[in-house]
Amino acid sequence: ENWLFDLGFAAGLDGNNQDLVARAGMSKLGPTFEVGPRFRWFIAKPAQGSLISLNVPLRGVIEINGGLKSRGVVLEPTLRYDNDHLFAGIGLVAQAGVLIGDQKINAHYYGVAPEFATSLRPTYAAKSGLMATKLSAVLYKEINPELSVAVFARWDGSGNAANAESPLHFKSSAVTFALGATYSSYKSRQMVKR
């Protein structure tokens, strides 16, 4: 099959210090959990060990903050390229996508109700639309059958976001780097082939 439906998950941490200062007097942002259906289309296999796919998850956002609260819906279409053998035993996963939110989730992060407005934080009615553009890449290498190492880089851009003019919108872009390792103490005798 060239496509499948399954469940997608995501999570987010609570607000950082910059958020806390800008949101002084407003409710604190709690961590979020997202779940919903995901459509995956396997577009092409340009070479052995490589795959181009489109992932389209639609997730409901639930905030964990003194209970569970529905905070809206996000859509995150992402084009993905996997190559198990890019060069010298190194694999690559590269992704490009957008995060689109309904009015409710955008209002949760970017809206300022009249009762919370100040001279530095004017009232702002958030709208639905683009929240961020995302580009990421992971290079990984299997050192031995049990141990793999990886390096990760991601760019998130929100300068063109629907709510970039909100007084609660701080940065137009952010870059993240990470290093990691995985160790498998047990593997199935029969491995699934991609």
Side-chain angles (χ1 to χ4, degrees):
E1 291 184 9
N2 289 337
W3 56 272
L4 65 84
F5 280 100
D6 60 9
L7 274 180
F9 300 91
L13 301 174
D14 54 1
N16 62 35
N17 288 339
Q18 191 174 17
D19 293 333
L20 299 178
V21 171
R23 297 180 65 87
M26 298 177 72
S27 60
K28 182 179 182 293
L29 296 174
T32 57
F33 178 77
E34 302 174 13
V35 63
R38 177 176 60 178
F39 171 73
R40 298 175 71 191
W41 177 30
F42 306 109
I43 299 169
K45 293 182 178 180
Q48 185 166 348
S50 69
L51 176 67
I52 297 172
S53 61
L54 177 67
N55 298 317
V56 186
L58 177 67
R59 300 183 300 262
V61 182
I62 300 159
E63 181 185 30
I64 306 163
N65 193 359
L68 301 178
K69 299 174 185 126
S70 172
R71 292 300 184 200
V73 177
V74 294
L75 177 70
E76 192 173 5
T78 304
L79 188 63
R80 177 176 169 139
Y81 174 72
D82 291 80
N83 189 327
D84 288 341
H85 308 289
L86 187 63
F87 62 88
I90 294 176
L92 168 72
V93 177
Q95 299 185 103
V98 294
L99 180 64
I100 300 165
D102 67 356
Q103 191 277 333
K104 188 174 180 181
I105 188 64
N106 275 294
H108 175 64
Y109 288 116
Y110 302 114
V112 180
E115 62 268 26
F116 297 118
T118 68
S119 60
L120 299 174
R121 186 180 60 212
T123 299
Y124 183 81
K127 48 194 170 284
S128 62
L130 181 67
M131 296 177 77
T133 302
K134 300 179 174 200
L135 300 172
S136 67
V138 178
L139 290 171
Y140 60 91
K141 180 163 179 64
E142 186 177 279
I143 305 301
N144 60 47
E146 291 81 31
L147 180 64
S148 294
V149 294
V151 60
F152 167 84
R154 184 171 94 180
W155 173 83
D156 294 290
S158 59
N160 294 334
N163 296 288
E165 300 302 316
S166 167
L168 299 177
H169 182 269
F170 310 113
K171 294 189 255 180
S172 59
S173 66
V175 178
T176 305
F177 294 99
L179 297 172
T182 59
Y183 179 79
S184 301
S185 58
Y186 175 80
K187 286 188 179 182
S188 175
R189 287 185 185 155
Q190 184 170 352
M191 302 297 288
V192 175
K193 292 185 179 180
R194 290 173 39 160

